[in-house]
Amino acid sequence: MQPVFSLNGQHVAWLIGNFVYDKVGQPIAFVSGGGLYSSSEGYIGQIFKNGEAFTWRILHSK
């Protein structure tokens, strides 16, 4: 389980394998080829490794 941070450094999610979970453990997205995808919205942004942590760049959020 790896923490995922927003671009401003806030802990926003957890990465387990190729799946992203919110902070309470609900699945919210999956990673494929560096892209971040939601089953309901398709491509929603990027996730990338920054040293030992993961950071995400979301195009939009509801």
Side-chain angles (χ1 to χ4, degrees):
M1 182 162 50
Q2 300 276 92
V4 178
F5 298 94
S6 66
L7 291 175
N8 64 4
Q10 290 183 297
H11 174 230
V12 293
W14 294 100
L15 179 66
I16 303 172
N18 287 331
F19 295 92
V20 179
Y21 297 84
D22 65 16
K23 293 194 300 184
V24 297
Q26 296 298 311
I28 55 174
F30 64 94
V31 179
S32 180
L36 192 58
Y37 298 87
S38 161
S39 60
S40 62
E41 298 180 44
Y43 179 79
I44 58 173
Q46 297 173 310
I47 192 164
F48 52 94
K49 190 163 185 173
N50 185 4
E52 292 298 314
F54 288 88
T55 305
W56 71 2
R57 181 179 299 130
I58 299 293
L59 297 176
H60 55 80
S61 60
K62 292 183 176 187

